[in-house]
C-alpha cells in the first residue's frame, strides 16, 4: 500500500501535524508505511498484555509465526525478565540438580570433554556466602 493515494494522505497528515500536535513534524513521518503501522500496533498490543490469540485475530493473521513476527518481544522486557533469575529471592532451589535415590544432590560435570557427576556442597547454592572474604 504505497500508491499515490497513500503518499498524498501522508503529505496531508504531515502538513496538519504541527497544528494538531503543536510541534514540528518528524522527518520519518512523511515516509511511514502501513507495514510500519502494523508492526507498531502488534508491538503495542503485546506491551499492553493482549493475549497471543487476540493479537493474531486483531492483526488478521492465520499463521501463528506471522503474528510472532509482528509482535516481537521488547528487548527491555526480555532483559528485565532474564535478570529476575539473578535476584537472590528467586533462588529457592539450585539452578541445576539431579537427585539420586541415595539422597545426595549431584550436578553434571563436563570438563575437558569428560562427563560425570559430582556431589553438591549445599553451602555453595545458598543465598548467603559462608566466607564473605571470598566474595569481596
Amino acid at each position: 500500500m504505497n500508491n499515490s493515494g497513500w503518499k498524498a494522505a501522508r503529505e496531508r497528515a504531515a502538513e496538519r501535524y504541527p497544528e494538531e500536535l503543536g510541534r514540528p513534524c518528524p522527518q520519518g513521518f512523511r515516509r511511514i508505511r502501513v507495514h510500519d503501522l502494523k508492526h507498531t500496533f502488534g508491538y503495542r498490543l503485546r506491551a499492553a498484555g493482549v493475549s497471543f490469540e487476540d493479537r493474531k485475530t486483531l492483526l488478521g493473521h492465520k499463521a501463528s509465526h506471522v503474528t510472532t513476527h509482528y509482535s516481537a518481544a521488547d528487548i527491555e522486557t526480555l532483559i528485565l525478565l532474564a535478570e529476575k533469575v539473578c535476584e537472590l529471592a528467586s533462588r529457592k532451589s539450585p539452578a541445576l540438580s539431579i537427585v539420586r535415590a541415595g539422597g545426595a544432590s549431584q550436578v553434571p560435570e563436563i570438563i575437558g570433554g569428560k562427563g560425570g557427576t559430582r556431589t553438591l556442597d549445599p553451602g555453595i547454592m545458598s543465598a548467603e556466602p559462608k566466607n564473605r572474604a571470598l566474595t569481596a
Side-chain angles (χ1 to χ4, degrees):
M1 229 181 126
N2 207 16
N3 59 27
S4 60
W6 176 248
K7 289 177 185 178
R10 286 188 309 208
E11 285 300 320
R12 285 191 309 272
E15 290 170 12
R16 287 185 57 188
Y17 192 99
E19 63 190 57
E20 294 285 331
L21 299 173
R23 59 181 183 266
C25 179
Q27 202 60 349
F29 189 81
R30 295 176 190 272
R31 293 185 308 270
I32 197 162
R33 304 167 299 161
V34 172
H35 184 81
D36 301 325
L37 299 174
K38 194 167 184 177
H39 274 280
T40 300
F41 183 57
Y43 172 81
R44 289 183 177 178
L45 287 170
R46 183 174 181 151
V50 176
S51 72
F52 182 81
E53 294 80 17
D54 291 339
R55 286 195 319 259
K56 185 176 168 189
T57 301
L58 287 167
L59 290 167
H61 298 148
K62 292 181 181 176
S64 297
H65 72 279
V66 178
T67 303
T68 302
H69 174 74
Y70 276 91
S71 56
D74 173 34
I75 190 70
E76 184 178 350
T77 302
L78 293 175
I79 290 169
L80 290 173
L81 292 171
E83 286 178 347
K84 282 187 173 187
V85 174
C86 299
E87 295 172 4
L88 291 178
S90 72
R91 295 184 192 170
K92 295 179 181 167
S93 65
L96 178 63
S97 179
I98 301 171
V99 179
R100 302 279 181 186
S105 291
Q106 296 181 334
V107 294
E109 184 173 28
I110 303 171
I111 300 172
K114 296 180 181 179
T117 59
R118 62 184 171 87
T119 302
L120 281 178
D121 172 5
I124 66 170
M125 299 307 277
S126 66
E128 288 294 321
K130 284 184 177 180
N131 185 348
R132 293 197 188 277
L134 295 176
T135 60

